[in-house]
Amino acid sequence: VRDNPDTLYARTICADTPPAEHKLSQQCNEKVEENIKYAFSKIESTWDLIHVEGEMKVYKSEQEIDGVVCDPLKATHTIRNVTSQEMCFTFWDVNVRMEWDTTLDITNTLEVLSQDTVISHQLMKRVWPATQRDTCFVSHLRKLDLSIQNTQDVGSWLVINFSTEHPKATSKCIRAKVNVSMLCQTFLDPPDIPIEKATRENLVCKIFYVAHANPGGWVPGSVLRTVYKREYPKFLRKFSTYVHEKCKDKPIKW
Ligand code: 18C
């Protein structure tokens, strides 16, 4: 079974608590599977390493759709002292998004579909000379069960942010389309320490972040690639520090 990647990925979505049902459940399930594949797919020769900073590595794969730069971005990172749940919950929690996402002017929650799924409408900061962009996307938090992969992790979580339409999502901006995911796994260091004895010092969190973004209209490719090369590492740095600081004096959330 473990040699068949499709079986492997399909089995990973069976978490212990089933996610809540709502009108976009089916689409969430499909996007969860798709993004688990993206997270664990090997970095092939089509990917360029564009940034290295300690444990953080950021890759892009050059892609244009109808002349518009839509480069998929993939980043891996490892940070200490936090769990996968703490990382993913914070990434998903709209109440704190403006505290770490410095690319945004506004985030608005248009609809709460369930306790783990919301629809967000966001205005991004304008980058001269391009027209301002907005996004409207479903944001879904999911606990995973990766035991079939026989990894040593003690907990794995995923957030997916994928574009949708909503009647309340109105603006004069150009609508960008996104399919973004953050998958995190918690490991213990040393690996054989009993989980009930673990402190924050024993936590290691591995992060897989993948972004597929279509700017929704032409922007100068060189400007976009320059902005991406600066903004994605900045986001990973800022977000990791934010979660680290926020959790350091709190009980561990497994
Ligand atoms: O994942 C992140 N944030 C999530 C929660 O907000 C969510 C957001 C996804 C957006 C993904 C990027 C969409 C890009 C659309 C194209 C914009 C074109 C702009 C024209 C530029 C010439 O999942 C963290 C996302 C970190 C994103 C980094 C790259 C985004 C670049 C867009 C630039 C806009 C602001 C730049 C800030 C400049 C400050 C002076």
Side-chain angles (χ1 to χ4, degrees):
V1 169
R2 298 232 322 277
D3 290 340
N4 177 343
D6 287 334
T7 313
L8 185 154
Y9 292 129
R11 292 277 301 274
T12 59
I13 67 165
C14 304
D16 48 356
T17 321
E21 289 289 320
H22 52 78
K23 63 184 178 187
L24 297 178
S25 293
Q26 181 56 30
Q27 220 185 338
C28 284
N29 290 341
E30 287 164 15
K31 291 288 175 187
V32 164
E33 285 202 55
E34 180 184 321
N35 279 286
I36 291 172
K37 285 184 193 174
Y38 290 146
F40 290 132
S41 65
K42 295 259 177 307
I43 296 290
E44 314 270 359
S45 54
T46 49
W47 292 89
D48 303 323
L49 181 62
I50 56 168
H51 187 88
V52 184
E53 188 178 323
E55 295 282 326
M56 184 205 304
K57 290 192 178 70
V58 183
Y59 304 84
K60 73 153 192 232
S61 179
E62 292 206 352
Q63 199 175 92
E64 286 186 22
I65 300 175
D66 299 330
V68 178
V69 169
C70 295
D71 298 352
L73 254 288
K74 178 161 182 171
T76 57
H77 195 14
T78 303
I79 61 166
R80 301 196 68 103
N81 310 124
V82 299
T83 65
S84 56
Q85 178 178 181
E86 289 164 342
M87 284 295 281
C88 285
F89 182 81
T90 310
F91 186 67
W92 175 80
D93 183 7
V94 289
N95 296 309
V96 298
R97 202 172 277 164
M98 293 306 287
E99 292 177 30
W100 58 265
D101 197 334
T102 58
T103 69
L104 298 179
D105 268 349
I106 296 172
T107 181
N108 252 325
T109 304
L110 300 184
E111 198 173 334
V112 177
L113 296 176
S114 66
Q115 59 185 14
D116 52 26
T117 312
V118 299
I119 299 181
S120 292
H121 181 222
Q122 304 197 146
L123 265 56
M124 309 196 69
K125 284 182 180 159
R126 178 169 178 253
V127 182
W128 187 89
T131 307
Q132 189 175 22
R133 260 59 182 179
D134 71 347
T135 53
C136 178
F137 60 87
V138 178
S139 187
H140 173 67
L141 173 71
R142 177 80 64 100
K143 185 181 192 322
L144 302 177
D145 176 0
L146 301 179
S147 53
I148 188 88
Q149 294 193 24
N150 205 14
T151 62
Q152 300 300 308
D153 75 90
V154 295
S156 46
W157 287 77
L158 173 75
V159 178
I160 47 171
N161 293 340
F162 62 93
S163 279
T164 191
E165 287 176 11
H166 195 281
K168 289 191 198 155
T170 52
S171 82
K172 291 193 171 128
C173 300
I174 294 180
R175 179 68 44 88
K177 293 275 168 54
V178 295
N179 180 13
V180 172
S181 64
M182 177 178 284
L183 189 158
C184 297
Q185 294 177 282
T186 313
F187 294 90
L188 297 179
D189 177 23
D192 52 357
I193 186 174
I195 195 163
E196 53 287 351
K197 291 214 171 119
T199 69
R200 286 211 171 272
E201 298 308 305
N202 302 113
L203 301 177
V204 177
C205 183
K206 178 133 203 223
I207 304 157
F208 299 86
Y209 175 86
V210 181
H212 291 84
N214 184 327
W218 188 81
V219 282
S222 59
V223 178
L224 193 61
R225 287 186 169 126
T226 305
V227 172
Y228 281 179
K229 194 171 170 7
R230 184 187 69 214
E231 293 299 324
Y232 281 105
K234 184 174 161 193
F235 143 64
L236 284 161
R237 199 182 309 127
K238 166 113 189 163
F239 179 70
S240 304
T241 309
Y242 177 79
V243 180
H244 192 273
E245 282 300 302
K246 209 170 164 68
C247 294
K248 68 177 182 201
D249 299 319
K250 301 216 174 95
I252 299 170
K253 266 169 70 178
W254 298 100

